[in-house]
Amino acid sequence: MIDGKAWAAHSRHETRQEAMALVAVGVTPGLAVILVGDNPASQSYVRGKERAARDSAVSSEVFRLAATTGQEEVLALIERLNADGRVHGILVQLPLPDHMDTVKVLAAVAPNKDVDGFHALNVGSLSLGLNAFVPCTPLGVMKLLAYEGVDLRGRHAVVVGRSNIVGKPMAQLLLQADATVTVCHSRTRDLAGITRQADILVAAVGRPEMITGDMIQPGAVVMDVGINRLGDRLVGDVEFASAVGVAGLITPVPGGVGPMTIAMLLHNTVKAAQATLRQV
Ligand code: NDP
């Protein structure tokens, strides 16, 4: 079993060292989080991000706005944060309320402060293999694979899910690591037939325990991105009980990919702060 919590603590420790080195030369890495509305899951994620930032010597400020806030007000806040030299990373917590145009709001974040890697310029840079801010969840999966010493070259990686925040960037990163990549989605035929061919299987579907043990090749590495509430339990997209005996390595939920997502947000914020030093 891959202990995502322990690896995330390890990663945050590395980030803290880098942040302290920046503080020593007068730059405190700063993260601004914009939270619109009162979605309980978003509020809980944001609290987790604030806590982790404190642990990593990253200063963070959360802008909590009412659900009724107009889009122009959010855009004006982003504009102000783009121009604020103390802010190195800006994160707009999704989902935004329905009356907002998410694409437009995300496009307003300065690409060099886009620590979530959602701006079109960063998405394009990633697909061209250029230096970019990479979305935190797929970056966290890649880090876990590297920490565990999983060799990706020439191996078959299957990603289930093609969202802009997880599936697509995940596929790009695996491709860059020389894996042979297959991306599956809701229209894929014979999903189990494909997942059974995976040496590395990434599940990012949002359907509780959809990937069962019989869909996994014995010995495969299974990375479960899903976070779903099933009654009073938090479960992944993989049915852990049937998968754990088949997989060679597997991430649990909770305590797998989730903690790495926050660790990568702090990593990206420190990277953004380091870049400002190079510009001076
Ligand atoms: P989305 O809903 O945006 O995307 C889900 C993807 O799964 C879509 O591409 C969809 O296909 C595909 N899909 C849906 N049903 C099936 C099916 N029956 N067979 C095959 N593919 C299917 O979700 P996200 O990518 O945002 O999130 C995925 C999961 O990861 C969620 O559980 C979410 O909570 C979790 N998550 C966890 C994070 C973490 O920190 N660990 C961070 C972000 C997300 P199609 O495109 O055809 O509709």
Side-chain angles (χ1 to χ4, degrees):
M1 190 156 84
I2 299 176
D3 187 345
K5 239 172 130 177
W7 282 128
H10 172 76
S11 167
R12 284 210 309 272
H13 178 74
E14 282 180 351
T15 301
R16 185 181 162 79
Q17 304 296 315
E18 290 174 357
M20 296 302 277
L22 284 169
V23 172
V25 294
V27 178
T28 301
L31 172 68
V33 178
I34 301 174
L35 173 60
V36 189
D38 43 21
N39 178 321
S42 295
Q43 286 180 335
S44 148
Y45 290 143
V46 167
R47 277 196 300 275
K49 287 167 187 175
E50 275 181 295
R51 257 196 317 272
R54 267 198 304 277
D55 284 355
S56 303
V58 169
S59 100
S60 71
E61 186 169 3
V62 180
F63 296 83
R64 291 185 165 81
L65 307 176
T68 50
T69 306
Q71 178 165 302
E72 290 310 313
E73 199 179 318
V74 174
L75 292 175
L77 172 60
I78 293 174
E79 222 22 72
R80 191 153 60 74
L81 296 169
N82 283 343
D84 187 338
R86 293 164 306 173
V87 173
H88 303 99
I90 302 171
L91 178 149
V92 180
Q93 183 66 45
L94 299 180
L96 286 168
D98 288 345
H99 67 277
M100 288 196 193
D101 178 346
T102 301
V103 173
K104 194 166 177 191
V105 171
L106 293 180
V109 175
N112 62 342
K113 297 191 177 188
D114 171 38
V115 285
D116 248 344
F118 293 164
H119 191 286
L121 203 81
N122 282 314
V123 175
S125 295
L126 174 63
S127 78
L128 291 173
L130 302 173
N131 185 31
F133 284 113
V134 176
C136 301
T137 300
L139 184 60
V141 171
M142 293 305 285
K143 272 269 182 198
L144 283 179
L145 291 169
Y147 285 149
E148 293 285 341
V150 176
D151 184 11
L152 296 169
R153 271 172 309 166
R155 301 184 77 196
H156 189 192
V158 173
V159 180
V160 190
R162 57 173 167 180
S163 73
N164 290 334
I165 64 171
V166 188
K168 283 183 198 158
M170 190 72 250
Q172 290 287 356
L173 290 167
L174 289 163
L175 206 54
Q176 275 176 25
D178 293 334
T180 301
V181 182
T182 301
V183 182
C184 301
H185 46 79
S186 65
R187 307 294 167 90
T188 296
R189 293 187 190 161
D190 187 21
L191 180 68
I194 298 171
T195 57
R196 270 196 291 269
Q197 295 170 30
D199 300 314
I200 292 102
L201 178 61
V202 182
V205 193
R207 289 180 182 264
E209 302 184 329
M210 192 193 96
I211 308 282
T212 46
D214 59 331
M215 297 169 74
I216 297 169
Q217 176 178 198
V221 177
V222 178
M223 309 300 284
D224 189 356
V225 174
I227 301 179
N228 312 286
R229 201 160 275 288
L230 198 63
D232 57 357
R233 285 190 308 140
L234 216 53
V235 300
D237 291 341
V238 177
E239 187 186 58
F240 189 81
S242 63
V244 70
V246 186
L249 272 175
I250 185 167
T251 56
V253 177
V257 174
M260 283 304 287
T261 297
I262 295 187
M264 291 304 99
L265 172 66
L266 300 168
H267 164 86
N268 279 350
T269 304
V270 169
K271 175 176 158 176
Q274 285 168 336
T276 61
L277 277 187
R278 287 194 290 277
Q279 282 157 15
V280 176

